[in-house]
Structure formats: structure tokens, C-alpha cells
Amino acid sequence: MNTLARARCTIGAHPLALDAAIAATVLIGMVAGSFVDPHGPEGVSWALRTPDALSLVLMVVGAAALVFRRRAPLVVLAVTGGVSVVEGVTGDPRAPVVMSAVVALYTVAASTDRPTTWRVGLLTMTVLTGAAMLAGPLPWYAQENLAVFAWTGIGASAGDAVRSRRAFVQAIRDRAEKAERTREEEARRRVAEERLRIARDLHDVVAHHIALVNVQAGVAAHVMDKRPDQAKEALAHVREASRSALGELRATVGLLRQSDDPEAPTEPAPGLDRLDELVATFHHAGMHVEVARAYQDTALPTAVDLAAYRIIQEALTNVHKHAGTRAKVEVSVVRVGPDIEVTVLDDGAGEGDAAGAGSGGGGHGLLGMRERVTAVRGTLTTGPRYGGGFRVHAILPVRNRTKAVEGPV
């Protein structure tokens, strides 16, 4: 196989040399065939005779044209067809100059499309056979005339078969390359999606808990001297928040483990069943949060349940960060038809401006919300409220929709 492959590479690197060798072989075949006498007393026989000078010239011209058959196949076919017509009309006995036209017709069929092969092949067969039958020195029914028809048909058919096989092999290669590219693109897409999901989880966990730790640590530092009991309580909240942050970070980072790594995380992803626990952490930080629920024990898909929890967590964290602990927040989770609607409203009464959550600081909170909502085929609306404050409103489908709907920008 290695020798054959090297030979193919060598031939492919020198096509002109290959065509010259084919032309020489055809010339030898035509000259040898000119010594055959098909009308001997005992049928076809070899007779030592000298071909006519015109026949020799025609054979040389036809063979020489084949050297350029790859560069201009139709021109070469016209040249070889012309010398074949001249030989068919004048040759007696006839020399096999038509061999060069057969090779040229094969090249045309192998290098063009099927409609072109049909048109050119029928034209060549008709012209060569018709000229030999109508204007040649032999009777129209002579076997040489029928041989012209047969050999030109064989040349066209063989070239078309070779072209079809090449197209079939190329199609298989293209499909294999496309399948390989598709697999690679799918792998890259899944890696990117997993990276974004982990980044969102890490952002939500760190932003929420670190904000609470920051507030409680500030409270402890402020009342350490005058009210040590309140400072001790604030430090207890710091410890609890840090413990929760470490636990969620451990569970999130555990997703990066290999499948055969021991002690994979088994803690379920947080959902709306932990909403009271989430709100309590903000209560401890001094923020007033009211919660309203109306979803009648709806069993939510895991992805939707997690998205609703993270949206509320991120919205409360943004209120705490931008509006401060004096802001009042209303959280509602309501079942409306086939959807769950999550709304977080604040009055912006704190020291900062809640609208900064959506426009300043270059953070990724709202971007992460929108990615989570889009992932479950929901919609998200965020923006400042009239009269102050900020509003986050998400519509999450309880059942998967057949088509994704993009939320407003």
C-alpha cells in the first residue's frame, strides 16, 4: 500500500508526463493496429504492410494532441475527432486513428458533468460513425464502422463511470470532514455553555454571601465597643454566611471533578424551597424584605426552580449593594397560567441608587440573570421604577416551550 500510495503521489505531481506516456502508448497501439488486415482470405490477419503517409501523419497528430487532454479536453476531442473523420473517409485500408478520439472522449466524460457527456458523446458518435458510413470507402454496414460506434460509446461510458466514482468518494470525504467539524463545534459549544453556567453560579454565590459578610462585619466593627452583644451576634452571622458560601462554592467547584473522582457533591441545587432561608440572611443584615407566594405547590423543573432562586438572590444582593439596608423590598412568586412570574421591587430609599445595579460598575449580575432566563426559554424585564427604586421581573415557563423567546433588552 505504501508503494502504491507513493506511485499515486508521483503521478499526481507530474500529470503532463503521465499524459505523454499515455499518448505514446496510444500511438504505438494505432501503429500496431494499422498492420492488421480485417479483410484477409481467412478473416482478420496480420499482414506486413506499410501504412499510408497520411494515416501516419494523422496518427501522430492524434496522439500528440492527447498530451494536452487535461488542459483542454474539448479542444483535444475536436482535434482527434477531426483526424478520425479524415481517416474514416480517406483510409483504405483504414488505420485505427479513432483510438485517439476514444481516449479524448473518455477524458471529457471524466472531467465534466453528465449532461455535457451526453451531448458531446452523442455528437462524437454520430459524426464519426456517420462520416465513416456515408463517405467512407467501405459499405455502411462494415464492421469497422460499427466498431467506431461501439468504441466511442465505451469511451464515454467509462469516463462517466470514473467521474461518478470520484464524485461519490469526494462526497464521502466531505461528509466525514463535516461530521468531524460538527463534533468539534458541538464539543466547543458544550464547553462554553458549561463554563458560563459555572461562572454564573460562582458569581451568584460569591456576590450574595460576600455582600452579607461585608455588612455584618461593618456592623460588628461599629458596635464592638458600646454593644459587644450585638457585635457578637453580627460576627455569628458572618460565620454563618461564610460557611454557606464555602458550602455552595464546594458544590459548584465539585462539578469540575472527573467522573471517577471520589466524594462527588450530592447536595441538591437550591430552589424556591430555600427562599425563606435566603430572605432570612438579608433580614439579619437589616434589610426589610416582604415575600408573597401564590404558586399552589407547583412542581417546578429543576432548571426553572434554580433560575428563580438565583434571580431573587441576585436581585436582593443588587438592592443591598446599591440601595443599602434601609431599602424596602417586595418579592413575589406567582403562578400565572403555564408560567411562574418572579418579581423583585425596591423603593430605592437607601443611601445608594438601585438603578446602578443595571447600569454601573461593569458587573455581570443582570447579564447572568438574562442568561439564566434565556436558558429556560423565559423572558426578563429589568429597569428603574417610576418614583425611585428598581424592578426585576422574570417569566419562567413551568413546561418547556417549543421555541425560545428572547426577553426585552
Side-chain angles (χ1 to χ4, degrees), residues 106-275:
Y106 163 85
T107 304
V108 170
S111 58
T112 59
D113 53 15
R114 182 160 292 173
T116 302
T117 299
W118 275 96
R119 290 194 295 267
V120 174
L122 289 175
L123 178 63
T124 303
M125 294 167 63
T126 301
V127 171
L128 295 184
T129 307
M133 288 183 174
L134 299 177
L138 299 178
W140 69 269
Y141 54 82
Q143 63 180 3
E144 289 92 335
N145 298 335
L146 299 178
V148 171
F149 180 84
W151 279 108
T152 50
I154 291 173
S157 300
D160 184 72
V162 170
R163 180 194 55 77
S164 299
R165 181 181 180 279
R166 289 174 181 170
F168 177 73
V169 172
Q170 185 61 39
I172 292 177
R173 291 176 179 173
D174 292 341
R175 284 197 296 269
E177 293 176 358
K178 183 178 180 180
E180 184 66 23
R181 289 195 302 269
T182 302
R183 284 194 295 269
E184 294 176 356
E185 292 171 359
E186 179 67 15
R188 287 194 295 267
R189 184 185 66 81
R190 292 192 177 188
V191 169
E193 289 180 352
E194 185 67 13
R195 185 170 62 248
L196 287 174
R197 188 180 66 82
I198 293 174
R200 285 196 301 267
D201 287 339
L202 288 174
H203 173 271
D204 293 343
V205 171
V206 172
H208 167 60
H209 291 289
I210 296 304
L212 294 180
V213 168
N214 179 57
V215 171
Q216 297 293 348
V219 171
H222 182 68
V223 301
M224 179 67 71
D225 296 331
K226 297 180 179 179
R227 302 180 63 182
D229 54 339
Q230 187 175 353
K232 186 179 298 184
E233 182 181 355
L235 291 176
H237 290 316
V238 169
R239 183 176 60 184
E240 182 63 26
S242 61
R243 182 184 297 112
S244 299
L246 289 174
E248 292 198 34
L249 285 174
R250 187 180 300 109
T252 302
V253 176
L255 297 174
L256 302 177
R257 288 178 178 267
Q258 300 296 327
S259 59
D260 55 349
D261 286 345
E263 298 180 1
T266 58
E267 182 181 356
L272 293 178
D273 57 337
R274 296 177 55 183
L275 181 57

Side-chain angles (χ1 to χ4, degrees), residues 66-91:
L66 293 179
V67 176
F68 309 98
R69 67 189 184 95
R70 296 178 193 265
R71 299 182 179 180
L74 291 176
V75 175
V76 171
L77 177 61
V79 173
T80 55
V83 298
S84 299
V85 169
V86 173
E87 175 63 20
V89 172
T90 60

